[in-house]
Amino acid sequence: MSGTLHTVFFSPTSSSKKIARAVAWPLSQALGKELCEHDLTFPQGRNKSLHCTSDDIFLFAFPVYAGRVPRLLNSFLAQLSGGGARAVVLAVYGNRHYDDALLEAVDTIQEHHCDVVSAGALVAEHSLTPKVGTGRPDNQDLKNAEEFAHHAAQAALSGHAGPVTVPGKRPYKDLPPAMDIRPKTSDACTQCLLCVSQCPMQIISEDNPAVVGQGCIRCCACVKACPEQAKFFDQEPVLKIIGMLEEKCRDRREPEFYTV
């Protein structure tokens, strides 16, 4: 076996991880690469740097936030040393649209000396409401991801240079102003601390999980993890977004794949 397939994902609610793994295994088998995972979900993972070589494959999966790559991944990506590795990029979005996120990721990774030869945009259940993208990625999504892995392998072996052409515009869409909106906690909380362990920002107090520090990214990992449904958002800006999503974004969108 020559080289490593570095599977890198940020996945607060596990959707990006699930999709990354669905692509990584058949891709590694097709290319004869050893698998190595890099989980960026928690700060200790994001604080590490990654150095690839020209024999490696760099597979990057991330959730789309406001049509862009999550800002908290910027420091990790800034330290990426691509070394001429071939790369595959997967944007995972909540059935609305991925806007400029896939293009931004391709551009960024290409700038760090990876040759991006394949990319995909896949759907997951929206973090804010289970009524949008319900139950996704589902079995068909994972089957599509596996099929894409074989096309990505062919692209990696083809010798064609990247970057792959993907939808999106430059300059990328403006990010909305940062808002200090934190999850609330009802009296149903039993202080099991699951929310503490699942928060990718590690800002929920172990002494009192109703206390949430500044820096929430509204990934809803704590909301989805709570067995008592005690964590929630009911602030007006969040409710407006949920209302828009549930009104306009419930029709099923299908994965989109791109190769050189």
Side-chain angles (χ1 to χ4, degrees), residues 2-249:
S2 176
T4 299
L5 195 162
H6 294 283
T7 305
V8 180
F9 53 82
F10 173 67
S11 190
T13 58
S14 296
S15 296
S16 296
K17 175 171 68 174
K18 185 180 293 186
I19 287 170
R21 287 176 171 174
V23 173
W25 174 250
L27 183 60
S28 70
Q29 294 300 295
L31 295 176
K33 305 292 184 184
E34 181 181 0
L35 270 174
C36 181
E37 282 194 355
H38 308 267
D39 188 348
L40 309 185
T41 306
F42 301 103
Q44 57 268 33
R46 298 193 294 272
N47 290 335
K48 297 177 181 178
S49 58
L50 177 60
H51 301 270
C52 300
T53 73
S54 59
D55 288 330
D56 295 338
I57 301 291
F58 177 67
L59 172 63
F60 178 50
F62 65 95
V64 175
Y65 285 2
R68 297 282 300 276
V69 176
R71 282 177 280 193
L72 83 169
L73 300 182
N74 289 347
S75 59
F76 173 84
L77 292 172
Q79 298 180 68
L80 172 65
S81 177
R86 306 287 251 176
V88 180
V89 177
L90 303 171
V92 182
Y93 70 103
N95 204 61
R96 183 192 65 80
H97 204 280
Y98 53 92
D99 297 316
D100 300 329
L102 192 59
L103 177 63
E104 180 184 12
V106 169
D107 286 348
T108 302
I109 292 169
Q110 192 80 19
E111 288 170 3
H112 288 275
H113 309 293
C114 284
D115 193 17
V116 185
V117 295
S118 299
L122 299 97
V123 175
E125 183 173 291
H126 202 285
S127 58
L128 291 176
T129 169
K131 295 180 181 179
V132 177
T134 306
R136 301 183 71 187
D138 56 22
N139 288 337
Q140 186 59 51
D141 291 318
L142 298 179
K143 181 179 178 182
N144 290 337
E146 183 177 349
E147 292 176 357
F148 165 68
H150 295 290
H151 294 291
Q154 292 173 7
L157 294 170
S158 68
H160 297 313
V164 62
T165 300
V166 298
K169 297 179 180 179
R170 304 181 188 95
Y172 315 128
K173 68 177 292 187
D174 290 336
L175 288 166
M179 294 186 290
D180 186 11
I181 297 177
R182 313 177 196 187
K184 296 181 179 179
T185 307
S186 74
D187 292 339
C189 176
T190 63
Q191 299 200 14
C192 70
L193 304 185
L194 272 175
C195 60
V196 175
S197 68
Q198 294 302 305
C199 175
M201 306 306 289
Q202 296 189 346
I203 55 174
I204 303 177
S205 171
E206 292 186 6
D207 297 324
N208 179 2
V211 176
V212 181
Q214 191 171 12
C216 175
I217 59 173
R218 295 182 295 285
C219 68
C220 292
C222 62
V223 174
K224 292 181 177 292
C226 181
E228 306 299 332
Q229 299 183 328
K231 276 280 190 289
F232 63 97
F233 290 92
D234 68 355
Q235 296 88 342
E236 186 61 25
V238 177
L239 294 179
K240 284 185 177 180
I241 294 171
I242 292 173
M244 179 277 294
L245 291 167
E246 293 182 351
E247 178 184 356
K248 299 181 178 180
C249 303

